[in-house]
Amino acid sequence: MSKASIIGAYNTAFGAFIKKDKATGLVTDTKTYYDLLIEAGRGAIADAGLEAKDIDAIYVGSCSPGSFINQEHVAPIAAEIHADLRFKPMTRCECACASSSVALYDAVYAIEAGRARHVLVIGVEKMNLLPTPQMTHVLACSSHWPSEGSRGMSFPMLFAEYAKGYQAHYKIPAEELEKMLWTAGALCYKNGAENPLAHVQNGPATVEAIMKLNELDAKGKCKNMMIAAPLRLHDCSLVTDGAAALVITQTANVTNKARAVEIAGIGHSAERLPENVRPNMHELMAGKDAVAKAFKEANITAADIDLAEVHDCFTINQILSTEALGLSVDGRGGYDYLDGRFTRDDQVAINLSGGLKSKGHPVGATGASMHALIYKQLIGEPIGVKAKKADIGVAFNVGGSAVTNCVTVLKKL
């Protein structure tokens, strides 16, 4: 297991922090990238009971700030958190939607190398300043550009390939697959309704509510339109602005065990970037490899997990992630959701935060947010729905089309 523990965390509110003039189309930024990064960093340091001068290094996870807000070289923005952070080493990490999980892992390596005693990790993204077509293009740059992005393949289309592969391999009728996806999405909406930081707190929280949105109006349109068959609008995660931060230290240096959570195991596995060269499209092969690495290091099995935050960028990936973690038998994840599994009352609860579907998905911040909210559950300070039991939690964060796979096992000290 690693030699590092989380001793503080902070999650900003998630949302679309802009104001748009309907007449002119002018967009005003109401909470900037800089504001979000600074708020999260200050919050995490305070939550850890430290002062800025105690921080030895800072790692910032951010996916595409150069395209989203015209700002590269973002790590030094952290110097604005407090004057005492000036001259500290600051590094940006990028692995698409897994950017801040990778930032956390780099921070762990710095701790284990003995180069740092306390490290601040920040994940941040500001996505809503761009119109939808430009935002979609920016995200597509995290696909394999020659074979995917340049040919008009968006991320809904890329994950639709997994949905179609899963359906074909396990011979699932289309109507049944749809209900599986809607059930997974409704669970996240239900949980997110109780998360005060969530981007959407009033989403359709039952399968019936989602089905109602599929009904055509007089113009032949519906509110839950098809985006990339079989994925509809409510199978897709949100375009979100937000930040989250963590403070980690050497486990041997922890003074208040009641507010410390051990990073017990890490699994970081990369898949081949183009989908068309992968052996199959019905399972998260690299995800399973990351799970095996993390569970082995932490000396746990799936049966030991109390709660998990999984990367539901699309509802199909929620099901695939559940199977990759060993919480469902391959091909049975969707049926388990249909049977009412993985709620707050189950043996293992999934996405109590509301997940990317309801809490939101500021891509560079998602990994840090997953870890922050599991940390809060494990120390008995839950944000939103409280886990029935919270001794061991797992974060499963994905970058790209299931390319960068980061699995972290967190344990109470």
Side-chain angles (χ1 to χ4, degrees):
M1 72 182 51
S2 85
K3 299 177 182 178
S5 291
I6 302 171
I7 58 170
Y10 185 89
N11 207 110
T12 72
F14 281 6
F17 300 124
I18 59 169
K19 184 178 180 180
K20 187 172 182 179
D21 187 309
K22 292 182 180 180
T24 65
L26 181 66
V27 174
T28 302
D29 196 347
T30 59
K31 184 177 282 190
T32 70
Y33 182 99
Y34 310 89
D35 296 334
L36 291 162
L37 186 156
I38 292 166
E39 177 188 342
R42 285 176 179 165
I45 293 171
D47 193 59
L50 300 177
E51 297 180 16
K53 63 181 177 60
D54 300 318
I55 300 298
D56 299 312
I58 301 170
Y59 291 85
V60 176
S62 200
C63 178
S64 298
S67 297
F68 283 131
I69 64 159
N70 297 313
Q71 177 68 67
E72 295 288 4
H73 202 191
V74 296
I77 298 169
E80 307 310 313
I81 292 169
H82 193 281
D84 287 344
L85 294 180
R86 189 182 179 208
F87 304 141
K88 306 281 186 175
M90 301 179 185
T91 305
R92 173 190 167 194
C93 302
E94 185 278 310
C95 271
C97 311
S99 293
S100 53
S101 285
V102 172
L104 172 63
Y105 294 174
D106 283 353
V108 169
Y109 304 149
I111 291 284
E112 292 180 332
R115 288 283 181 176
R117 180 183 175 91
H118 298 116
V119 181
L120 175 63
V121 178
I122 306 171
V124 58
E125 211 74 63
K126 178 78 187 187
M127 304 176 69
N128 279 283
L129 291 175
L130 296 182
T132 299
Q134 287 92 319
M135 179 276 300
T136 302
H137 171 84
V138 172
L139 292 177
C141 292
S142 289
S143 70
H144 183 253
W145 187 254
S147 67
E148 296 168 351
S150 69
R151 299 184 180 186
M153 291 285 284
S154 64
F155 269 94
M157 296 168 71
L158 293 170
F159 276 92
E161 292 302 307
Y162 269 106
K164 289 184 282 190
Y166 185 82
Q167 179 184 357
H169 184 76
Y170 294 111
K171 299 179 172 58
I172 302 170
E175 298 79 8
E176 202 158 39
L177 178 67
E178 284 184 324
K179 288 183 180 178
M180 292 174 178
L181 300 177
W182 298 338
T183 302
L187 173 63
C188 290
Y189 279 131
K190 183 177 181 179
N191 290 339
E194 298 180 42
N195 181 352
L197 302 178
H199 186 162
V200 170
Q201 299 174 33
N202 61 348
T206 65
V207 171
E208 292 74 21
I210 293 176
M211 291 177 67
K212 186 74 174 174
L213 298 175
N214 297 340
E215 296 177 1
L216 300 180
D217 61 19
K219 296 181 179 180
K221 297 182 179 181
C222 71
K223 294 182 179 179
N224 192 23
M225 69 282 293
M226 190 69 73
I227 303 298
L231 302 179
R232 292 179 176 269
L233 178 66
H234 284 278
D235 291 309
C236 305
S237 57
L238 302 164
V239 178
T240 305
D241 308 327
L246 308 155
V247 174
I248 69 170
T249 191
Q250 296 171 357
T251 302
N253 294 332
V254 170
T255 56
N256 183 1
K257 290 188 176 182
R259 296 198 83 256
V261 166
E262 182 181 41
I263 301 171
I266 288 172
H268 181 184
S269 303
E271 180 57 274
R272 297 180 70 183
L273 191 56
E275 285 190 346
N276 63 13
V277 298
R278 301 177 199 173
N280 75 58
M281 289 296 292
H282 64 263
E283 62 178 331
L284 303 181
M285 290 171 281
K288 289 180 176 180
D289 184 76
V291 168
K293 290 171 180 173
F295 284 15
K296 181 178 180 181
E297 185 177 21
N299 192 29
I300 68 161
T301 68
D304 297 313
I305 301 171
D306 299 315
L307 68 154
E309 289 288 323
V310 306
H311 198 92
D312 59 315
C313 51
F314 301 91
T315 48
I316 183 60
N317 205 58
Q318 183 171 337
I319 292 171
L320 292 173
S321 297
T322 302
E323 293 181 5
L325 286 169
L327 300 175
S328 287
V329 175
D330 286 356
R332 299 300 303 176
Y335 293 104
D336 284 344
Y337 278 99
L338 288 175
D339 288 341
R341 293 283 315 281
F342 312 121
T343 68
R344 65 192 72 184
D345 299 316
D346 197 19
Q347 182 177 349
V348 55
I350 290 180
N351 286 359
L352 291 177
S353 70
L356 286 59
K357 189 78 214 64
S358 179
K359 180 189 66 176
H361 186 26
V363 286
T366 287
S369 177
M370 287 176 163
H371 290 84
L373 296 185
I374 293 176
Y375 165 78
K376 289 294 187 179
Q377 290 278 1
L378 267 56
I379 65 169
E381 300 175 9
I383 297 173
V385 180
K386 177 179 171 59
K388 183 170 67 173
K389 182 172 178 282
D391 293 327
I392 297 177
V394 174
F396 186 178
N397 183 204
V398 165
S401 58
V403 176
T404 297
N405 294 263
C406 297
V407 178
T408 314
V409 177
L410 300 175
K411 288 183 180 181
K412 277 185 177 179
L413 270 183

